[in-house]
Amino acid sequence: EDTAPRIVEHPTDLLVSRGEPATLSCKAEGRPSPAVEWYKDGERVETDREDPRSHRTLLPGGSLFFLRILHGRRGKPDEGVYVCVARNYLGEATSRNASLEVAGE
């Protein structure tokens, strides 16, 4: 029988050096399998599904993988507070907040 999504693995805070890869974990269960989206500071995160040039990949299980953490003088595009949201037709589940910080600046 179909079930609403629930988050079974929440992301945790990360401290990452600029240019290093990083993974924010998220795993959701539900039936049908929920679709996972990520939000950073309340805005939807674009991944390479929408933009093939993106340095962010949505992994099959729902985790968010950063090829390299971007951080420049003009901004810190990857730094912020992330949540993952899993949805199916029965509802949605939101993970705990996880902050991603860039080290050493």
Side-chain angles (χ1 to χ4, degrees):
E1 123 189 13
D2 288 356
T3 55
R6 66 187 187 99
I7 307 286
V8 292
E9 186 182 336
H10 291 265
T12 53
D13 294 349
L14 286 182
L15 181 62
V16 189
S17 299
R18 183 175 71 193
E20 291 293 305
T23 303
L24 283 166
S25 299
C26 180
K27 192 180 281 172
E29 287 178 351
R31 183 180 285 150
S33 283
V36 171
E37 289 184 333
W38 282 87
Y39 291 83
K40 169 182 168 281
D41 301 330
E43 291 193 14
R44 198 168 162 280
V45 172
E46 287 213 337
T47 63
D48 59 3
R49 291 189 180 183
E50 294 92 23
D51 178 1
R53 296 183 313 261
S54 174
H55 66 294
R56 293 181 287 240
T57 300
L58 186 62
L59 299 178
S63 295
L64 184 64
F65 175 71
F66 298 81
L67 208 55
R68 61 192 178 285
I69 292 298
L70 297 183
H71 184 96
R73 274 189 295 257
R74 284 172 313 183
K76 308 174 180 181
D78 290 328
E79 204 164 75
V81 176
Y82 290 78
V83 296
C84 82
V85 179
R87 290 188 183 91
N88 68 15
Y89 79 96
L90 284 169
E92 64 177 58
T94 303
S95 74
R96 292 195 288 270
N97 288 353
S99 66
L100 188 149
E101 282 185 69
V102 180
E105 289 300 312

